[in-house]
């Protein structure tokens, strides 16, 4: 059974940083796309970032709203993906979800991913 477990969320002041982790079990995701999405109250689940690998090339894609502030990375030995979030803003407040794909490529749609974590709350105070 595949499980994705997020951690690292919390309360931080605007301008601060957090690092989210997503530990996968039940499947090795090193050759598959992994992503992060977020959902604020009353809003749809939005794409944040994805990391993919084709051959020896690692590809990363970010939502425009987080480019230059967030960095997605992975540790294949630990089967874990990270999201480093810097210069946080109150509008970054949301539940953040880790997502795992079934191919090397996954885009910015939630339907591109087959596996989901339970989410971790990130709250940024002004």
């Amino acid at each position: 059974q595949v499980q994705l477990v997020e951690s690292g969320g919390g309360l931080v002041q605007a301008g601060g940083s957090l690092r989210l982790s997503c530990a996968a079990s039940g499947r090795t995701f090193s050759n598959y796309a992994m992503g992060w999405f977020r959902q604020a109250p009353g809003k749809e689940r939005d794409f944040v970032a994805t990391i993919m690998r084709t051959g020896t090339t690692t590809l990363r894609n970010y939502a425009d709203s987080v480019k230059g502030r967030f960095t997605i990375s992975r540790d294949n030995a630990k089967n874990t993906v990270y999201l480093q979030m810097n210069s946080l803003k109150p509008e970054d407040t949301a539940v953040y979800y880790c997502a795992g794909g079934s191919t090397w490529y996954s885009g910015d749609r939630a339907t591109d991913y087959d596996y989901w974590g339970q989410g971790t709350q990130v709250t940024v105070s002004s």
Side-chain angles (χ1 to χ4, degrees), residues 72-86:
I72 189 170
S73 62
R74 68 198 304 170
D75 184 333
N76 290 330
K78 296 182 178 179
N79 211 21
T80 298
V81 65
Y82 303 97
L83 184 69
Q84 177 66 43
M85 306 185 296
N86 298 328

Side-chain angles (χ1 to χ4, degrees), residues 96-120:
Y96 283 71
Y97 296 91
C98 174
S102 294
T103 64
W104 75 269
Y105 176 86
S106 287
D108 58 3
R109 300 172 303 177
T111 53
D112 290 339
Y113 300 83
D114 298 306
Y115 305 99
W116 293 87
Q118 82 290 349
T120 185

Side-chain angles (χ1 to χ4, degrees), residues 18-33:
L18 283 174
R19 188 177 83 152
L20 305 183
S21 300
C22 172
S25 61
R27 186 186 198 188
T28 299
F29 278 94
S30 58
N31 292 323
Y32 301 105

Side-chain angles (χ1 to χ4, degrees), residues 42-104:
K43 296 188 177 181
E44 294 184 349
R45 190 170 296 190
D46 291 331
F47 169 76
V48 175
T50 187
I51 186 166
M52 302 165 279
R53 188 177 77 174
T54 174
T56 58
T57 302
T58 297
L59 305 174
R60 296 174 176 86
N61 190 30
Y62 298 93
D64 288 343
S65 59
V66 306
K67 279 181 182 176
R69 301 188 298 121
F70 291 11
T71 302
I72 189 170
S73 62
R74 68 198 304 170
D75 184 333
N76 290 330
K78 296 182 178 179
N79 211 21
T80 298
V81 65
Y82 303 97
L83 184 69
Q84 177 66 43
M85 306 185 296
N86 298 328
S87 302
L88 282 161
K89 304 175 181 180
E91 50 264 44
D92 294 319
T93 295
V95 177
Y96 283 71
Y97 296 91
C98 174
S102 294
T103 64
W104 75 269

